[in-house]
Amino acid sequence: MIKRMRPRTRRDLWLLAGSVVLLGAGIVALWAGSIKIPDVSSLKERKIVQSTKIYDRTGTILLDDLGDNVTRTLVPIEDISTNIQRASIAIEDATFYEHSGIRPLAILRATILQPLRGNGVQGGSTITQQVVKNSILTTDRTVTRKLKEWVLALKLEQVLTKQQILELYLNESPYGGSIYGVEEASMVFFGKHAKEVTLAEAAYLAALPQAPTYFSPFGNHLDALETRKNYVLTRMNELGMITEAEMKSAQTEKVSFQPPATAGIRAPHFVFFVREQLEQEYGRDALEQNGWRIITTLDADLEAKAEEIVKRFALENATKFNASNAALVAVQPQTGDILAMVGSRDYFDKGIDGNVNIAVAERQPGSSIKPFIYATAFEEGYAPTSVAFDSATQFSTNCPVESTSDTPPCYYPGNYDEKFRGPMSFRDALANSINIVALKVLYLVGINDALKTARAMGITTLNDPERYGLTLVLGGGEVKLLDMVSAYGVFANEGVRNPYRSILKIEDRNGVMVKDFILNPEQVIPQNVALNMSDVLSDNEARAPEFGLDSALYVPGHHVAA
């Protein structure tokens, strides 16, 4: 039988609970009162204890110093465009002028909902909190540090006006690399002072601090930057800061960015690739302030040679074939290490959008996709000696067999030289890149099986089989050069894939290991399939009808598979 709790007992429990809460609140109040806010003048100097440095694989050649030559020009709030002020408030802290330093509902989400989801204590920071975080406190995500941030934000609001706090924030915000503050960012990106920027330019600036490396106008995510800039403008309109006409005008305005400065960076495409990876994993603050040593996979000597080769031949191709750009990636198959990454003929050439990393952009691969189709055939029981007919073929079942029409829905492709050779072994057909036989091989194995092989080997972008059809084998889908090079490494490594990696290890300022990027090999195609493929691709006699016996692919004393 369950006995009811007597009224006196319940009252005692409530009194006890209330006493505990009051005692706890008193302790927190005493602790909060003991926190001293630093001299406001000290907030003018950004706290960067020791910068993170990125090295090549030897750990001796510096590629980039994330804190080196920090550039910032302090300006009063009167010299910062109201466009910048409003845009930053709209995207970072819409209630900036209404709160007293913190937002209680945001704190509730940060302290209760986020930890319940396993994300730690984070989020909900006001502009005032960001000033505190950037200038006073460390960036670790702990309850104690967050409590200090809230208390100091409340205190800061008591000693500074809103405009003074906003001035500090806009002079402290990071805009990528060594660029801090809106004045410096305005000069670097637009060649004008912060008080002179247009509404669209201000929206770009406001879009950056959330992830300055990812959204950088000098980086590889210009579409994402454009989307976020437009979102900033949408928020400004929703908050009544600008009219709908002003919003639409700014969203369609064509903004020109200044070409990036050299800033002493080596292998810039690779460095930004690494920085973006680290920023996504650890956050910008940790990356810039922890004083880490990032030991990458890059071979600095090979990288220098690769940059020289790409530039020389890209300029030659521009004259011969009107091809404005080129890229090169070198990956070690036994480890997946990226040894060289050249994303364009010249990172700093604005005329060709040189800062865009073509090595990780999606492009059609042409006939270089064919080995993955043939590898699927080898795995399904075909062999290099298997034979198919190189003959005129109408591939569409929607058209008569004898039709020579290539107008959709008909499909009547030809070879590059407009010749047909009759029966051919798979070896000879692949070695000479014969289109008709490749199409028939894809038809035999099926597009889904072929894509399954490609994905297992590291191709990440071919996800729409209905769109490609048989044209996939002629390069009808889009892939990334980095994926392709990594996938070809599976052939060279006897069917074992090592996912590409750009970092070997991270050490802290005392040499203690933060993270070791270990290998993760996996057998993704049978060994005999990989060996057969390498044998076919290195058969100099088989490819001689197209390339000749003494082509650039022939290196005496070496088997060069291509």
Side-chain angles (χ1 to χ4, degrees):
M1 182 176 180
I2 300 175
K3 295 183 178 180
R4 288 188 176 181
M5 186 181 292
R6 289 182 299 177
R8 182 177 178 81
T9 304
R10 286 199 299 270
R11 186 168 57 251
D12 290 344
L13 286 175
W14 278 110
L15 287 172
L16 177 61
S19 299
V20 170
V21 170
L22 289 173
L23 179 61
I27 293 173
V28 170
L30 287 172
W31 171 77
S34 68
I35 298 178
K36 302 297 183 184
I37 189 167
D39 181 5
V40 173
S41 62
S42 71
L43 302 184
K44 298 292 186 181
E45 297 300 323
R46 181 174 172 81
K47 172 183 56 52
I48 299 181
V49 179
Q50 186 174 330
S51 61
T52 291
K53 295 178 172 61
I54 299 177
Y55 293 89
D56 76 333
R57 65 187 301 109
T58 69
T60 60
I61 297 179
L62 181 65
L63 303 178
D64 191 24
D65 186 335
L66 273 62
D68 190 30
N69 300 319
V70 170
T71 53
R72 174 175 48 240
T73 303
L74 300 178
V75 291
I77 194 70
E78 295 79 15
D79 289 339
I80 299 175
S81 165
T82 55
N83 287 329
I84 296 177
Q85 296 179 42
R86 292 171 180 171
S88 299
I89 290 171
I91 196 65
E92 294 290 341
D93 186 0
T95 60
F96 173 66
Y97 288 109
E98 300 164 21
H99 62 66
S100 299
I102 60 176
R103 295 195 299 261
L105 287 178
I107 289 176
L108 181 64
R109 288 195 301 270
T111 55
I112 298 178
L113 298 181
Q114 294 286 6
L116 286 175
R117 294 169 182 163
N119 296 328
V121 181
Q122 57 182 306
S125 292
T126 64
I127 284 178
T128 311
Q129 287 174 252
Q130 292 182 57
V131 169
V132 169
K133 181 182 69 173
N134 290 340
S135 307
I136 302 174
L137 298 176
T138 60
T139 58
D140 56 304
R141 292 175 175 175
T142 63
V143 173
T144 302
R145 194 212 61 81
K146 201 68 179 177
L147 284 171
K148 288 182 179 179
E149 178 186 300
W150 297 332
V151 172
L152 288 171
L154 291 170
K155 288 193 169 188
L156 191 62
E157 291 264 354
Q158 295 172 3
V159 297
L160 295 180
T161 66
K162 288 287 188 180
Q163 288 302 89
Q164 288 174 318
I165 293 171
L166 184 60
E167 177 184 311
L168 282 171
Y169 170 76
L170 293 174
N171 278 299
E172 284 287 314
S173 291
Y175 292 92
S178 61
I179 307 168
Y180 288 88
V182 290
E183 175 68 8
E184 196 69 34
S186 298
M187 293 301 298
V188 170
F189 295 140
F190 310 122
K192 59 178 68 172
H193 295 290
K195 62 184 177 182
E196 300 169 338
V197 300
T198 66
L199 176 57
E201 291 167 343
Y204 278 117
L205 292 176
L208 287 170
Q210 183 191 58
T213 299
Y214 182 84
F215 289 120
S216 172
F218 300 154
N220 213 50
H221 301 282
L222 299 183
D223 289 345
L225 172 61
E226 190 70 16
T227 298
R228 184 161 172 80
K229 177 265 293 186
N230 288 337
Y231 177 65
V232 171
L233 292 165
T234 299
R235 286 293 295 145
M236 293 179 75
N237 173 246
E238 291 172 348
L239 295 168
M241 295 176 175
I242 57 175
T243 66
E244 186 167 352
E246 289 172 323
M247 176 190 72
K248 290 181 177 179
S249 175
Q251 287 178 336
T252 57
E253 180 183 333
K254 181 65 175 176
V255 173
S256 297
F257 292 95
Q258 297 279 97
T262 57
I265 190 173
R266 298 183 64 164
H269 289 109
F270 176 76
V271 164
F272 278 105
F273 180 79
V274 169
R275 284 174 55 167
E276 184 179 317
Q277 177 185 339
L278 291 169
E279 190 173 288
Q280 288 177 350
E281 184 169 356
Y282 295 103
R284 172 184 51 80
D285 293 329
L287 183 59
E288 293 183 351
Q289 299 179 16
N290 282 354
W292 288 340
R293 279 172 48 87
I294 313 294
I295 311 301
T296 70
T297 60
L298 194 80
D299 184 313
D301 292 335
L302 282 180
E303 171 71 17
K305 188 67 175 177
E307 290 177 5
E308 173 197 330
I309 290 170
V310 168
K311 186 160 190 174
R312 173 156 46 97
F313 285 99
L315 290 172
E316 185 178 306
N317 287 341
T319 302
K320 291 182 177 179
F321 309 112
N322 194 31
S324 63
N325 218 335
L328 184 153
V329 170
V331 172
Q332 189 176 58
Q334 293 77 18
T335 61
D337 290 355
I338 300 174
L339 302 178
M341 177 186 281
V342 185
S344 71
R345 76 185 193 202
D346 186 348
Y347 179 88
F348 304 105
D349 187 340
K350 186 180 179 182
I352 59 167
D353 291 328
N355 57 287
V356 175
N357 189 350
I358 303 299
V360 293
E362 295 184 20
R363 296 290 186 271
Q364 290 191 339
S367 291
S368 66
I369 200 72
K370 288 176 180 174
F372 304 107
I373 313 303
Y374 281 91
T376 308
F378 293 166
E379 189 169 355
E380 294 184 359
Y382 295 93
T385 55
S386 298
V387 174
F389 275 77
D390 175 25
S391 57
T393 306
Q394 174 58 255
F395 283 91
S396 175
T397 57
N398 294 315
C399 295
V401 173
E402 66 276 8
S403 173
T404 60
S405 172
D406 197 36
T407 302
C410 298
Y411 185 45
Y412 185 79
N415 291 316
Y416 59 89
D417 57 4
E418 300 182 349
K419 296 178 181 178
F420 299 107
R421 295 161 179 78
M424 294 189 75
S425 69
F426 282 13
R427 175 184 294 272
D428 290 339
L430 175 56
N432 292 278
S433 193
I434 304 302
N435 291 343
I436 301 301
V437 175
L439 285 160
K440 291 180 177 179
V441 172
L442 177 56
Y443 184 84
L444 289 170
V445 302
I447 191 168
N448 288 321
D449 284 0
L451 290 178
K452 181 180 178 181
T453 299
R455 281 193 291 268
M457 294 178 68
I459 306 298
T460 61
T461 55
L462 298 176
N463 302 309
D464 189 2
E466 296 300 322
R467 181 168 71 88
Y468 313 130
L470 292 179
T471 62
L472 173 71
V473 76
L474 305 184
E478 293 78 30
V479 301
K480 298 178 181 179
L481 175 61
L482 178 58
D483 284 355
M484 288 290 283
V485 175
S486 177
Y488 264 75
V490 175
F491 295 136
N493 202 34
E494 300 187 359
V496 176
R497 168 166 168 73
N498 282 292
Y500 61 76
R501 63 176 180 175
S502 58
I503 304 169
L504 294 175
K505 60 182 178 180
I506 302 175
E507 298 174 344
D508 69 12
R509 66 194 63 176
N510 299 314
V512 177
M513 187 75 72
V514 175
K515 183 173 182 178
D516 186 13
F517 291 75
I518 61 175
L519 298 179
N520 186 28
E522 180 184 2
Q523 189 86 39
V524 294
I525 61 174
Q527 182 185 43
N528 69 301
V529 170
L531 291 173
N532 269 332
M533 183 58 63
S534 293
D535 182 60
V536 171
L537 295 179
S538 60
D539 189 335
N540 196 52
E541 290 188 6
R543 65 188 174 214
E546 168 59 20
F547 298 100
L549 287 171
D550 194 25
S551 72
L553 303 178
Y554 176 64
V555 181
H558 298 274
H559 287 285
V560 178

